[in-house]
């Protein structure tokens, strides 16, 4: 087999030589550059400070003024570099492409950045964001550290945690975007925490979402308002409600909503565990979670302690679900289709505006009404990130900054465009900028303004895996 | 890429060296090597990219512990036994049922005009992408589906969709229905393609007539006279169908259960999971899938042997009648049911593509609208061009390479080596999801080394490289089918024509172009149509090899089927059907037209 031999040589050469070459050269040169820059900056700062001190009395406020003006100068220069370097290029934006409304909003963004920076923004439509994670990972494994195919990725939660853990994201850029200040990051933790994990400038906030419910008016007139009522309602209307199979994002979101609500009356110490990493000591016998939860200290093994109420609830809940809880739909959109088929009478979504939009497109019957649960709505922020090996990092930052601009955020919030909640803090904006956010007449199927009375924050992202694994072990295989 | 370049170079140099023989002979002699190269590098690269992680070696994940941890994790997965059983039974039963129906249709309608008519009715199914077909079938059998709407509420009193188990039933019946409907036209087309060879077809038809004259019932005559000659030509298509059915992803994803799903679907989920360490388990699962698929193939071959041993005597026992009239009626009923089922699915698809509000249990949509077509067509330009260009180039390459290889086989007077045949069918035996992930890794390695060699990297070039990657990957799936559909016909060609032509002084190239190709005209056209259909239908290869940057009608359709309404997916499914349908209509019409004009 001469061919195989050739292939082996080819592969071997690539693997060994290139791996070394790239790591050695690129990493080293970057490090050198960074060190040089740091050194120069420190030198300049020390020089200036010494000068100002030697000039005589300097009050602390002046000192800090000098410092901040240096900083803002640097920032301006940093941004000018990006603005000049990022023009006239292509940006491959990897974003979930299952919603026509969102896709057409991204097309609008593409037109805007084309006019503004001559950037050609191309959306790579994903069916699941983890595809982009896989791609960057594959590139890293192929030692492609500077010519990645993903320039910008729409991301949050577990995908972000995975990318951050494997160092697949560019660091410390989002906090330097000029428009980032409009989110009031110092007083607004929702833009710097992604499911409780600090973003460290690896991703720039794009929008906010909350879990809201919708029902078919012809099938039920009084939909459940709390988790308890949902159980009672399901017993009265068997087979008319279900949730997408974990690890689907929406299915997990429903389980997190249930989990947080089930712990609303719990002890504060136990509740606090929801916002810490899920832990599980392997030595515990997995077959008797209830027994081990009672005996072991919470800090060592909080997983079973926290999740047991959820499993108890689901054990009671599942027999009344669609297909008796023996089969679950794959996605939120399939759930929406089942509502249209009248198989389900009640469903939920993380993007409330998609409901009236679907009615307008005939994808849901006109008898659909939206509402939010009285015992709280799970809420989170979604972001855009730049992979560490993106080919067009500067252009991607220009796009991210545009996505944060009041014009783009206001347009996105319009119900007939996308209806995604803005991440900008209203009070910080100027009068003209605030005027962009005027609302219009609502669709009968739309979620009424201010119907979300109480928001529930997302548990620590490690709970996603804990819930998904536990769910899979208990309900993943029907008998 | 560099491999191709190097082969081109070697080809040129060898051409210069081999002065006495003509260019055609050189090309033909080199073609098996080229074929091998085009298949070996991606296939082995892809396999290595799967095998290494399966045994614990994945540098990206910082996993260097060679061992069986991934397999241990795999065995501890809840419901792994059910997954394997589901994959095996759905694959085996659907192929068996499709094969039996194919034989019954062939037997009952052999030498009748109805055969062509049935083929024309069924062939659209072949070109519907699996995802779209699954959605159409799912809509028919769902509790709110067309069948339920036909009898509601006047008979059942259902004002809301009833509770039911289809689709997604735990026994995999929905998957079997969907797969059978997709495999049936493929097998029928393969059988008819073999029978369409002038020489073999004529011989068999005459033998069939002789049997009829000897008093055999038409169906008995088919099973005793035609089938023994026909089956060897059908064996490889059957095995490919079997392998595909046991490892496909789209059908079980849309029609199958998910507690647990089939093995292939589970592997796909593990590969796509945010927990990157699951990649190891997925790789181990991919190898398990290989074993499962191999096991079913072995089972089929065993069953084949058993049947041959058991029935060989009855071939010559002289019995004329086995209740043929009864079976003929049964076949008609089954055929009618299949056709009605497919028609309802197609009508449903068309109606969904123009439906306004359409609440259960209404049989027809309340309002009709062109909104879905308008919004879809507006976004279809680039994907459509990509689909056509990639399909055309891939199919052209596949046809040329296949013909040259088959010609070299005849020149050397022996079949291509077992190694090449094995390699050729590898892409059909390895679950594409697992195999492709490894392949993408190899392509990126090659791309990067190329960029380093040439010291330049522009975006335009990346896009071209993506196109080439997609075409190479498509070739992996198109080549085997084209080879399958052409090789049997080519090998059955009557050698005497070529010998006579050569003895009259015709050069090998002239014999090839003037004697062999015209005889193969209809077979080639069917292979072209098939190649196009296969290329048009590829989803995962396009997505992975193209880096998601090359959108075709297929990638758009599956993305939308996962994330959009039935109405939009109906539009895309219909678009996907229309494209290859044109190819098949041409493949059916052209030979008739040309032979007619030749007879005058």
């Amino acid at each position: 087999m001469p061919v195989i031999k050739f292939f082996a040589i080819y592969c071997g050469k690539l693997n060994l030589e290139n791996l070394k070459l790239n790591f050695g050269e690129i990493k080293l040169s970057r490090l050198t550059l960074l060190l040089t820059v740091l050194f120069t900056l420190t030198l300049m700062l020390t020089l200036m400070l010494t000068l100002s001190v030697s000039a005589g009395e300097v009050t602390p406020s002046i000192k800090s003024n000098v410092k901040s003006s240096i900083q803002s100068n640097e920032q301006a220069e940093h941004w000018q570099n990006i603005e000049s370097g990022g023009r006239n290029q292509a940006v491959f934006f990897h974003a979930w492409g299952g919603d026509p409304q969102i896709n057409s909003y991204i097309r609008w963004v593409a037109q805007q950045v084309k006019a503004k920076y001559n950037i050609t923004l191309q959306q790579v439509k994903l069916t699941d964001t983890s595809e982009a994670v896989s791609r960057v990972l594959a590139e890293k494994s192929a030692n492609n550290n500077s010519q990645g195919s993903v320039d910008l990725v729409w991301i949050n939660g577990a995908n972000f945690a995975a990318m951050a853990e494997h160092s697949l994201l560019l660091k410390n850029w989002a906090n330097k975007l000029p428009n980032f200040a409009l989110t009031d990051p110092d007083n607004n933790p929702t833009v710097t925490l992604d499911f409780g994990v600090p973003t460290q400038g690896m991703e720039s906030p794009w929008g906010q979402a909350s879990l809201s419910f919708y029902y078919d008016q012809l099938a039920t007139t009084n939909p459940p308002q709390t988790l308890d009522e949902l159980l009672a309602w399901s017993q009265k209307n068997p087979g008319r409600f279900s949730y997408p199979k974990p690890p689907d994002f929406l299915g997990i979101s429903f389980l997190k909503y249930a989990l947080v609500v089930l712990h609303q009356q719990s002890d504060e110490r136990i509740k606090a565990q929801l916002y810490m990493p899920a832990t599980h000591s392997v030595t515990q016998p997995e077959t008797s979670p209830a027994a081990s939860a009672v005996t072991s200290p919470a800090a060592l093994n909080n997983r079973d302690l926290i999740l047991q109420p959820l499993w108890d609830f689901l054990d009671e809940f599942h027999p009344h679900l669609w297909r008796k809880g023996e089969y679950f739909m794959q996605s939120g959109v399939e759930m929406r289709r089942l509502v249209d088929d009248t198989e389900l009478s009640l469903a939920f979504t993380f993007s409330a505006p998609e409901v009236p939009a679907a009615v307008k497109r005939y994808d849901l019957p006109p008898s659909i009404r939206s509402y939010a649960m009285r015992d709280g709505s799970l809420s989170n922020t979604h972001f855009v990130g730049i992979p560490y090996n993106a080919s067009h990092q500067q252009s991607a930052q220009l796009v991210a900054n545009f996505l944060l601009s009041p014009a783009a955020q206001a347009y996105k919030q319009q119900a007939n465009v996308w209806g995604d909640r803005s991440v900008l803090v209203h009070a910080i904006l100027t009068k003209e900028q605030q005027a962009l956010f005027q609302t219009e007449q609502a669709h009968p199927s739309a979620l009424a303004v201010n119907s979300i009375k109480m928001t529930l924050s997302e548990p620590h992202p490690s709970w996603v895996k804990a819930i998904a694994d536990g769910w899979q072990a208990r309900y993943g295989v029907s008998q | 890429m560099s491999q191709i370049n190097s082969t081109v170079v070697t080809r040129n140099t060898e051409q210069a060296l081999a002065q006495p023989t003509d260019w055609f002979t050189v090309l033909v002699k080199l073609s098996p090597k080229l074929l091998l190269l085009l298949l070996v590098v991606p296939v082995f690269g892809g396999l290595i990219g799967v095998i290494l992680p399966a045994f614990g070696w994945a540098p990206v994940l910082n996993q260097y512990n060679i061992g069986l941890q991934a397999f241990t994790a795999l065995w501890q997965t809840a419901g792994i036994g059910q997954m394997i059983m589901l994959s095996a039974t759905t694959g085996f039963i659907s192929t068996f049922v499709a094969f039996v129906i194919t034989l019954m249709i062939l037997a009952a309608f052999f030498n009748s005009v109805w055969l062509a008519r049935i083929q024309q009715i069924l062939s659209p199914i072949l070109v519907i992408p699996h995802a779209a077909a699954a959605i159409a079938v799912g809509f028919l059998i769902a509790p709110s589906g067309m069948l339920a709407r036909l009898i509601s509420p006047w008979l059942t009193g259902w004002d809301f969709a009833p509770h039911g188990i289809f689709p997604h039933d735990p026994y995999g019946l929905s998957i079997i229905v969907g797969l059978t409907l997709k495999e049936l036209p493929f097998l029928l087309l393969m059988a008819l393609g073999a029978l369409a060879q002038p020489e073999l077809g004529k011989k068999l038809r005459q033998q069939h007539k002789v049997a009829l004259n000897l008093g055999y019932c038409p169906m008995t005559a088919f099973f005793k006279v035609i089938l023994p000659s026909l089956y060897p030509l059908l064996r490889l298509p059957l095995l490919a169908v079997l392998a595909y059915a046991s490892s496909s992803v789209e059908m079980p994803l849309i029609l199958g259960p998910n507690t647990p799903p089939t093995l292939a679907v589970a592997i796909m989920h593990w590969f796509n999971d945010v927990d990157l360490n699951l990649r190891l388990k997925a790789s181990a699962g991919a190898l398990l899938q290989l074993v499962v698929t191999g096991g079913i193939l072995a089972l089929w071959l065993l069953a084949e042997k058993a049947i041959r041993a058991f029935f060989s005597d009855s071939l010559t026992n002289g019995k004329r009648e086995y209740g043929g009239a009864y079976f003929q009626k049964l076949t008609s009923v089954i055929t009618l049911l299949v056709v009605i089922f497919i028609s309802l699915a197609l009508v449903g698809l068309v109606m969904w593509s123009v439906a306004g509000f359409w609440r259960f249990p209404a049989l027809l949509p309340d309002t009709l609208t062109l909104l879905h077509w308008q919004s879809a067509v507006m976004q279809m330009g680039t994907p459509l061009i990509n689909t056509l260009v990639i399909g055309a180039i891939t199919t052209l390459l596949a046809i040329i390479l296949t013909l040259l290889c088959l010609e070299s086989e005849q020149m050397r007077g022996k079949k291509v080596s077992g190694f090449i045949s094995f390699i050729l069918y590898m892409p059909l035996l390895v679950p594409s999801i697992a195999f492709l992930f490894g392949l993408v890794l190899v392509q990126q390695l090659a791309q990067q080394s190329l960029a380093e060699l040439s010291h330049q990297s522009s975006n335009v070039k990346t896009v071209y490289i993506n196109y080439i990657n997609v075409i190479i990957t498509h070739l992996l799936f198109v080549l085997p089918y084209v080879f399958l559909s052409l090789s049997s016909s080519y090998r059955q060609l009557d050698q005497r024509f070529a010998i006579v032509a050569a003895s009259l002084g015709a050069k090998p190239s002239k014999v090839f172009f003037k004697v062999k190709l015209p005889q193969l005209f209809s077979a080639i056209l069917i292979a072209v149509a098939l190649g196009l259909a296969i290329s048009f239908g590829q989803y995962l290869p396009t997505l992975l090899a193209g880096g998601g940057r090359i959108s075709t009608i297929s990638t758009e359709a599956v993305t939308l089927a996962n994330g959009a309404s039935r109405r939009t997916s109906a539009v895309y499914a219909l678009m996907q059907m229309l494209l290859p349908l044109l190819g098949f209509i041409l493949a059916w019409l052209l030979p008739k037209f040309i032979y007619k004009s030749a007879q005058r």
Side-chain angles (χ1 to χ4, degrees), chain B residues 47 50-55 71 74 263 267 271 280-294 430-431 434:
Chain B
L47 276 181
V50 167
I51 290 172
L52 289 184
F55 288 99
F71 289 95
L74 186 65
L263 184 60
I267 294 168
F271 261 123
L280 302 184
K281 184 159 118 178
S283 303
L287 292 186
L288 176 64
Q289 175 74 61
L290 196 60
V291 172
V292 170
T293 302
V430 186

mmCIF file of all heavy atoms in Angstrom, chain B residues 47 50-55 71 74 263 267 271 280-294 430-431 434:
data_model
loop_
_atom_site.group_PDB
_atom_site.id
_atom_site.type_symbol
_atom_site.label_atom_id
_atom_site.label_comp_id
_atom_site.label_asym_id
_atom_site.label_seq_id
_atom_site.Cartn_x
_atom_site.Cartn_y
_atom_site.Cartn_z
ATOM 1 N N LEU B 47 -11.505 7.723 9.561
ATOM 2 C CA LEU B 47 -11.554 6.609 10.517
ATOM 3 C C LEU B 47 -10.552 6.802 11.644
ATOM 4 O O LEU B 47 -10.862 6.573 12.804
ATOM 5 C CB LEU B 47 -11.279 5.298 9.790
ATOM 6 C CG LEU B 47 -12.497 4.673 9.127
ATOM 7 C CD1 LEU B 47 -12.137 3.374 8.452
ATOM 8 C CD2 LEU B 47 -13.584 4.437 10.164
ATOM 9 N N VAL B 50 -11.625 8.972 14.234
ATOM 10 C CA VAL B 50 -12.644 8.404 15.121
ATOM 11 C C VAL B 50 -12.038 7.351 16.043
ATOM 12 O O VAL B 50 -12.350 7.271 17.224
ATOM 13 C CB VAL B 50 -13.789 7.797 14.286
ATOM 14 C CG1 VAL B 50 -14.681 6.948 15.157
ATOM 15 C CG2 VAL B 50 -14.597 8.907 13.646
ATOM 16 N N ILE B 51 -11.124 6.543 15.477
ATOM 17 C CA ILE B 51 -10.582 5.421 16.256
ATOM 18 C C ILE B 51 -9.712 5.923 17.414
ATOM 19 O O ILE B 51 -9.832 5.449 18.539
ATOM 20 C CB ILE B 51 -9.767 4.479 15.342
ATOM 21 C CG1 ILE B 51 -10.713 3.737 14.402
ATOM 22 C CG2 ILE B 51 -8.985 3.470 16.169
ATOM 23 C CD1 ILE B 51 -10.025 2.930 13.344
ATOM 24 N N LEU B 52 -8.867 6.921 17.123
ATOM 25 C CA LEU B 52 -7.960 7.403 18.179
ATOM 26 C C LEU B 52 -8.731 7.888 19.409
ATOM 27 O O LEU B 52 -8.444 7.445 20.521
ATOM 28 C CB LEU B 52 -7.034 8.487 17.624
ATOM 29 C CG LEU B 52 -5.970 7.971 16.643
ATOM 30 C CD1 LEU B 52 -5.043 9.096 16.222
ATOM 31 C CD2 LEU B 52 -5.170 6.831 17.258
ATOM 32 N N PRO B 53 -9.731 8.775 19.236
ATOM 33 C CA PRO B 53 -10.470 9.197 20.435
ATOM 34 C C PRO B 53 -11.210 8.038 21.101
ATOM 35 O O PRO B 53 -11.335 8.011 22.328
ATOM 36 C CB PRO B 53 -11.479 10.221 19.896
ATOM 37 C CG PRO B 53 -10.965 10.628 18.571
ATOM 38 C CD PRO B 53 -10.160 9.487 18.034
ATOM 39 N N ALA B 54 -11.674 7.067 20.304
ATOM 40 C CA ALA B 54 -12.413 5.952 20.897
ATOM 41 C C ALA B 54 -11.537 5.194 21.893
ATOM 42 O O ALA B 54 -12.026 4.678 22.894
ATOM 43 C CB ALA B 54 -12.902 5.003 19.811
ATOM 44 N N PHE B 55 -10.223 5.157 21.621
ATOM 45 C CA PHE B 55 -9.330 4.470 22.541
ATOM 46 C C PHE B 55 -8.612 5.441 23.467
ATOM 47 O O PHE B 55 -7.559 5.149 24.005
ATOM 48 C CB PHE B 55 -8.339 3.592 21.771
ATOM 49 C CG PHE B 55 -9.000 2.389 21.178
ATOM 50 C CD1 PHE B 55 -9.374 2.385 19.844
ATOM 51 C CD2 PHE B 55 -9.290 1.289 21.969
ATOM 52 C CE1 PHE B 55 -10.016 1.278 19.308
ATOM 53 C CE2 PHE B 55 -9.932 0.183 21.426
ATOM 54 C CZ PHE B 55 -10.286 0.173 20.092
ATOM 55 N N PHE B 71 -15.209 2.910 26.006
ATOM 56 C CA PHE B 71 -16.110 1.768 25.807
ATOM 57 C C PHE B 71 -16.830 1.405 27.101
ATOM 58 O O PHE B 71 -17.999 1.044 27.083
ATOM 59 C CB PHE B 71 -15.323 0.570 25.269
ATOM 60 C CG PHE B 71 -14.878 0.769 23.853
ATOM 61 C CD1 PHE B 71 -13.620 1.251 23.569
ATOM 62 C CD2 PHE B 71 -15.750 0.508 22.801
ATOM 63 C CE1 PHE B 71 -13.222 1.459 22.257
ATOM 64 C CE2 PHE B 71 -15.357 0.705 21.495
ATOM 65 C CZ PHE B 71 -14.084 1.183 21.222
ATOM 66 N N LEU B 74 -19.528 3.734 27.434
ATOM 67 C CA LEU B 74 -20.569 3.404 26.455
ATOM 68 C C LEU B 74 -21.481 2.309 26.991
ATOM 69 O O LEU B 74 -22.705 2.405 26.920
ATOM 70 C CB LEU B 74 -19.903 2.967 25.155
ATOM 71 C CG LEU B 74 -20.817 2.708 23.962
ATOM 72 C CD1 LEU B 74 -21.481 3.997 23.529
ATOM 73 C CD2 LEU B 74 -20.032 2.104 22.820
ATOM 74 N N LEU B 263 -29.097 4.043 17.967
ATOM 75 C CA LEU B 263 -27.691 4.244 18.300
ATOM 76 C C LEU B 263 -27.108 5.433 17.532
ATOM 77 O O LEU B 263 -26.412 6.278 18.105
ATOM 78 C CB LEU B 263 -26.906 2.963 17.988
ATOM 79 C CG LEU B 263 -25.444 2.976 18.361
ATOM 80 C CD1 LEU B 263 -25.272 3.199 19.843
ATOM 81 C CD2 LEU B 263 -24.771 1.670 17.959
ATOM 82 N N ILE B 267 -25.336 8.759 19.047
ATOM 83 C CA ILE B 267 -23.959 9.157 18.745
ATOM 84 C C ILE B 267 -23.924 10.618 18.311
ATOM 85 O O ILE B 267 -23.075 11.395 18.739
ATOM 86 C CB ILE B 267 -23.370 8.261 17.636
ATOM 87 C CG1 ILE B 267 -23.228 6.826 18.135
ATOM 88 C CG2 ILE B 267 -22.019 8.783 17.180
ATOM 89 C CD1 ILE B 267 -22.944 5.832 17.028
ATOM 90 N N PHE B 271 -21.851 13.650 20.028
ATOM 91 C CA PHE B 271 -20.878 14.477 19.312
ATOM 92 C C PHE B 271 -21.206 15.959 19.452
ATOM 93 O O PHE B 271 -20.323 16.797 19.531
ATOM 94 C CB PHE B 271 -20.852 14.120 17.823
ATOM 95 C CG PHE B 271 -19.739 13.205 17.471
ATOM 96 C CD1 PHE B 271 -19.981 11.991 16.856
ATOM 97 C CD2 PHE B 271 -18.423 13.551 17.749
ATOM 98 C CE1 PHE B 271 -18.953 11.124 16.545
ATOM 99 C CE2 PHE B 271 -17.392 12.699 17.436
ATOM 100 C CZ PHE B 271 -17.654 11.483 16.833
ATOM 101 N N LEU B 280 -15.370 11.236 23.274
ATOM 102 C CA LEU B 280 -14.713 9.939 23.379
ATOM 103 C C LEU B 280 -15.748 8.823 23.314
ATOM 104 O O LEU B 280 -15.596 7.860 22.577
ATOM 105 C CB LEU B 280 -13.921 9.857 24.693
ATOM 106 C CG LEU B 280 -12.848 10.925 24.891
ATOM 107 C CD1 LEU B 280 -12.095 10.672 26.180
ATOM 108 C CD2 LEU B 280 -11.892 10.923 23.712
ATOM 109 N N LYS B 281 -16.822 8.994 24.090
ATOM 110 C CA LYS B 281 -17.876 7.995 24.098
ATOM 111 C C LYS B 281 -18.515 7.910 22.707
ATOM 112 O O LYS B 281 -18.826 6.814 22.233
ATOM 113 C CB LYS B 281 -18.920 8.389 25.143
ATOM 114 C CG LYS B 281 -20.022 7.382 25.310
ATOM 115 C CD LYS B 281 -20.718 7.552 26.659
ATOM 116 C CE LYS B 281 -22.161 7.909 26.491
ATOM 117 N NZ LYS B 281 -22.864 8.032 27.756
ATOM 118 N N ALA B 282 -18.684 9.084 22.067
ATOM 119 C CA ALA B 282 -19.290 9.093 20.738
ATOM 120 C C ALA B 282 -18.421 8.313 19.756
ATOM 121 O O ALA B 282 -18.927 7.557 18.932
ATOM 122 C CB ALA B 282 -19.476 10.530 20.261
ATOM 123 N N SER B 283 -17.093 8.489 19.863
ATOM 124 C CA SER B 283 -16.197 7.773 18.959
ATOM 125 C C SER B 283 -16.304 6.271 19.193
ATOM 126 O O SER B 283 -16.351 5.488 18.245
ATOM 127 C CB SER B 283 -14.757 8.230 19.162
ATOM 128 O OG SER B 283 -14.664 9.619 18.966
ATOM 129 N N ALA B 284 -16.357 5.881 20.476
ATOM 130 C CA ALA B 284 -16.525 4.461 20.792
ATOM 131 C C ALA B 284 -17.857 3.973 20.242
ATOM 132 O O ALA B 284 -17.945 2.883 19.664
ATOM 133 C CB ALA B 284 -16.457 4.245 22.299
ATOM 134 N N GLY B 285 -18.901 4.817 20.380
ATOM 135 C CA GLY B 285 -20.217 4.464 19.853
ATOM 136 C C GLY B 285 -20.184 4.281 18.351
ATOM 137 O O GLY B 285 -20.836 3.393 17.804
ATOM 138 N N ALA B 286 -19.377 5.117 17.674
ATOM 139 C CA ALA B 286 -19.273 5.012 16.220
ATOM 140 C C ALA B 286 -18.689 3.661 15.828
ATOM 141 O O ALA B 286 -19.134 3.030 14.869
ATOM 142 C CB ALA B 286 -18.416 6.138 15.669
ATOM 143 N N LEU B 287 -17.709 3.206 16.609
ATOM 144 C CA LEU B 287 -17.137 1.891 16.318
ATOM 145 C C LEU B 287 -18.164 0.785 16.596
ATOM 146 O O LEU B 287 -18.266 -0.180 15.848
ATOM 147 C CB LEU B 287 -15.869 1.668 17.152
ATOM 148 C CG LEU B 287 -14.687 2.570 16.772
ATOM 149 C CD1 LEU B 287 -13.456 2.169 17.546
ATOM 150 C CD2 LEU B 287 -14.418 2.516 15.285
ATOM 151 N N LEU B 288 -18.947 0.974 17.669
ATOM 152 C CA LEU B 288 -19.997 0.008 17.969
ATOM 153 C C LEU B 288 -21.009 -0.034 16.827
ATOM 154 O O LEU B 288 -21.462 -1.093 16.409
ATOM 155 C CB LEU B 288 -20.692 0.384 19.283
ATOM 156 C CG LEU B 288 -21.876 -0.501 19.670
ATOM 157 C CD1 LEU B 288 -21.413 -1.921 19.932
ATOM 158 C CD2 LEU B 288 -22.599 0.042 20.892
ATOM 159 N N GLN B 289 -21.338 1.161 16.301
ATOM 160 C CA GLN B 289 -22.271 1.240 15.177
ATOM 161 C C GLN B 289 -21.731 0.432 13.997
ATOM 162 O O GLN B 289 -22.469 -0.267 13.304
ATOM 163 C CB GLN B 289 -22.468 2.704 14.770
ATOM 164 C CG GLN B 289 -23.319 2.904 13.532
ATOM 165 C CD GLN B 289 -24.782 2.659 13.811
ATOM 166 O OE1 GLN B 289 -25.403 3.332 14.621
ATOM 167 N NE2 GLN B 289 -25.341 1.674 13.146
ATOM 168 N N LEU B 290 -20.427 0.538 13.810
ATOM 169 C CA LEU B 290 -19.784 -0.215 12.733
ATOM 170 C C LEU B 290 -20.001 -1.705 12.934
ATOM 171 O O LEU B 290 -20.326 -2.442 11.996
ATOM 172 C CB LEU B 290 -18.289 0.115 12.728
ATOM 173 C CG LEU B 290 -17.502 -0.263 11.482
ATOM 174 C CD1 LEU B 290 -18.057 0.445 10.271
ATOM 175 C CD2 LEU B 290 -16.042 0.082 11.671
ATOM 176 N N VAL B 291 -19.857 -2.149 14.193
ATOM 177 C CA VAL B 291 -20.043 -3.577 14.501
ATOM 178 C C VAL B 291 -21.495 -3.977 14.279
ATOM 179 O O VAL B 291 -21.782 -5.018 13.672
ATOM 180 C CB VAL B 291 -19.611 -3.854 15.957
ATOM 181 C CG1 VAL B 291 -19.973 -5.273 16.356
ATOM 182 C CG2 VAL B 291 -18.120 -3.618 16.119
ATOM 183 N N VAL B 292 -22.420 -3.132 14.753
ATOM 184 C CA VAL B 292 -23.844 -3.447 14.598
ATOM 185 C C VAL B 292 -24.194 -3.561 13.120
ATOM 186 O O VAL B 292 -24.810 -4.537 12.675
ATOM 187 C CB VAL B 292 -24.708 -2.354 15.269
ATOM 188 C CG1 VAL B 292 -26.169 -2.530 14.907
ATOM 189 C CG2 VAL B 292 -24.531 -2.400 16.776
ATOM 190 N N THR B 293 -23.763 -2.559 12.343
ATOM 191 C CA THR B 293 -24.048 -2.576 10.915
ATOM 192 C C THR B 293 -23.422 -3.808 10.259
ATOM 193 O O THR B 293 -24.068 -4.498 9.469
ATOM 194 C CB THR B 293 -23.502 -1.295 10.267
ATOM 195 O OG1 THR B 293 -24.102 -0.175 10.921
ATOM 196 C CG2 THR B 293 -23.839 -1.243 8.797
ATOM 197 N N GLY B 294 -22.178 -4.095 10.646
ATOM 198 C CA GLY B 294 -21.516 -5.273 10.095
ATOM 199 C C GLY B 294 -22.276 -6.552 10.448
ATOM 200 O O GLY B 294 -22.428 -7.449 9.611
ATOM 201 N N VAL B 430 -19.737 3.155 7.202
ATOM 202 C CA VAL B 430 -19.433 3.884 8.433
ATOM 203 C C VAL B 430 -20.507 4.939 8.632
ATOM 204 O O VAL B 430 -20.823 5.675 7.712
ATOM 205 C CB VAL B 430 -18.063 4.562 8.332
ATOM 206 C CG1 VAL B 430 -17.687 5.198 9.641
ATOM 207 C CG2 VAL B 430 -17.009 3.560 7.920
ATOM 208 N N PRO B 431 -21.086 5.021 9.829
ATOM 209 C CA PRO B 431 -22.079 6.072 10.096
ATOM 210 C C PRO B 431 -21.478 7.430 9.744
ATOM 211 O O PRO B 431 -20.408 7.773 10.255
ATOM 212 C CB PRO B 431 -22.334 5.956 11.596
ATOM 213 C CG PRO B 431 -21.846 4.605 11.979
ATOM 214 C CD PRO B 431 -20.789 4.221 11.005
ATOM 215 N N ALA B 434 -19.963 10.075 12.438
ATOM 216 C CA ALA B 434 -18.697 9.792 13.116
ATOM 217 C C ALA B 434 -17.534 9.938 12.155
ATOM 218 O O ALA B 434 -16.524 10.572 12.436
ATOM 219 C CB ALA B 434 -18.723 8.379 13.661
#
